[in-house]
């Protein structure tokens, strides 16, 4: 049953997205460090995925900068100090994202770029992780008491869902529920109608697992942990 549109915003997706980012950045670092050292096919798959993660993070932060933070400033001026911190964090993270993207592109072309990519990923995490935690622990509770469900849902739809194809959303759905417990799984799959949910789970599931095997290896478990 969907929440009334005038109820406080449900910000759980923010933490779910952050967890997916952290998980795959950790997987990338672990795979790069080995053993074994990635072969050529896995090297290209990891490099391309890391670049895709940086693109995703850029879109994620851009949506916050374009609408969420300005709207919060207007509706809740008392949160201005924390909002300043959010914006400053984004600015500080950008150079690290750019270095990761550049290092991943170089690694895609040559295995000699492996150590540089490991180093830039480590530097990114030192800046990104505290920001994500601050956003989850400090900012989202304020957002939840300031925005309504309708405002939050409209923002997500406009900035994160509408611009993407069904294929992108299908793969992204599995990316979000990878490693999820029952509560996260139910929340994510509950966001789509039953017909689309069937397609999401049955059609894109094998494609997502195949993509993960190419970059992490067949021995790394992917998918929700519902038991």
């Amino acid at each position: 049953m969907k929440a009334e549109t005038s109820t406080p915003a449900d910000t759980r997706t923010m933490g779910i997205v952050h967890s997916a980012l952290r998980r795959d950045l950790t997987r990338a670092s672990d795979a790069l460090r080995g053993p074994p050292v990635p072969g050529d096919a896995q090297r290209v798959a990891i490099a391309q995925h890391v670049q895709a993660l940086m693109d995703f993070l850029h879109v994620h932060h851009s949506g916050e900068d374009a609408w969420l933070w300005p709207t919060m400033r207007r509706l809740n001026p008392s949160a201005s100090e924390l909002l300043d911190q959010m914006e400053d964090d984004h600015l500080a993270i950008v150079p690290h994202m750019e270095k990761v993207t550049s290092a991943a592109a170089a690694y895609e072309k040559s295995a000699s770029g492996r150590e540089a990519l490991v180093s830039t990923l480590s530097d990114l995490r030192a800046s990104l992780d505290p920001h994500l935690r601050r956003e989850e622990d400090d900012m989202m509770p304020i957002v939840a008491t300031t925005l309504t469900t309708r405002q939050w849902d409209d923002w997500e739809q406009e900035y994160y869902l509408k611009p993407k194809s069904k294929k992108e959303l299908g793969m992204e759905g599995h990316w979000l529920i990878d490693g999820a417990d029952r509560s996260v799984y139910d929340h994510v799959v509950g966001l789509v109608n039953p017909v689309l949910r069937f397609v999401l789970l049955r059609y894109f599931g094998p494609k997502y697992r195949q993509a993960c095997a190419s970059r992490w290896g067949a021995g790394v478990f992917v998918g929700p942990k519902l038991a």
Side-chain angles (χ1 to χ4, degrees), residues 10-168:
D10 183 346
T11 64
R12 279 180 289 175
T13 53
M14 187 67 75
I16 293 170
V17 166
H18 289 178
S19 293
L21 279 166
R22 285 187 290 250
R23 180 202 65 229
D24 273 16
L25 290 171
T26 296
R27 282 176 174 172
S29 294
D30 290 346
L32 288 166
R33 290 189 177 100
V37 173
D40 287 345
Q42 185 181 13
R43 168 177 58 81
V44 171
I46 292 172
Q48 291 178 347
H49 186 60
V50 169
Q51 291 172 79
L53 289 175
M54 294 303 99
D55 289 341
F56 180 93
L57 183 55
H58 171 71
V59 171
H60 179 68
H61 281 177
S62 295
E64 294 172 341
D65 292 335
W67 189 88
L68 186 57
W69 305 152
T71 301
M72 286 295 298
R73 285 191 185 279
R74 177 170 57 85
L75 298 179
N76 193 339
S78 65
S80 60
E81 184 175 346
L82 185 54
L83 289 164
D84 288 343
Q85 180 69 67
M86 294 294 102
E87 293 177 348
D88 289 345
D89 285 352
H90 283 189
L91 290 173
I93 291 166
V94 166
H96 296 291
M97 292 170 58
E98 292 174 344
K99 289 177 181 178
V100 168
T101 298
S102 178
Y107 181 58
E108 183 179 358
K109 295 177 181 177
S110 171
S112 63
R114 183 169 63 93
E115 290 301 329
L117 182 53
V118 170
S119 178
T120 58
L121 282 170
S122 178
D123 290 343
L124 171 68
R125 296 298 295 272
S127 178
L128 178 64
D129 286 4
H131 164 69
L132 298 182
R133 184 56 59 195
R134 186 158 43 240
E135 191 169 283
E136 293 164 17
D137 293 347
D138 301 335
M139 191 76 250
M140 286 304 105
I142 300 175
V143 171
T145 60
T146 303
L147 301 184
T148 65
T149 295
R150 180 186 291 274
Q151 289 171 314
W152 179 269
D153 290 349
D154 286 351
W155 168 61
E156 287 193 323
Q157 182 70 32
E158 183 67 24
Y159 287 91
Y160 301 136
L161 301 179
K162 190 187 296 184
K164 297 174 182 176
S165 67
K166 287 184 172 60
K167 178 181 178 180
E168 289 174 314

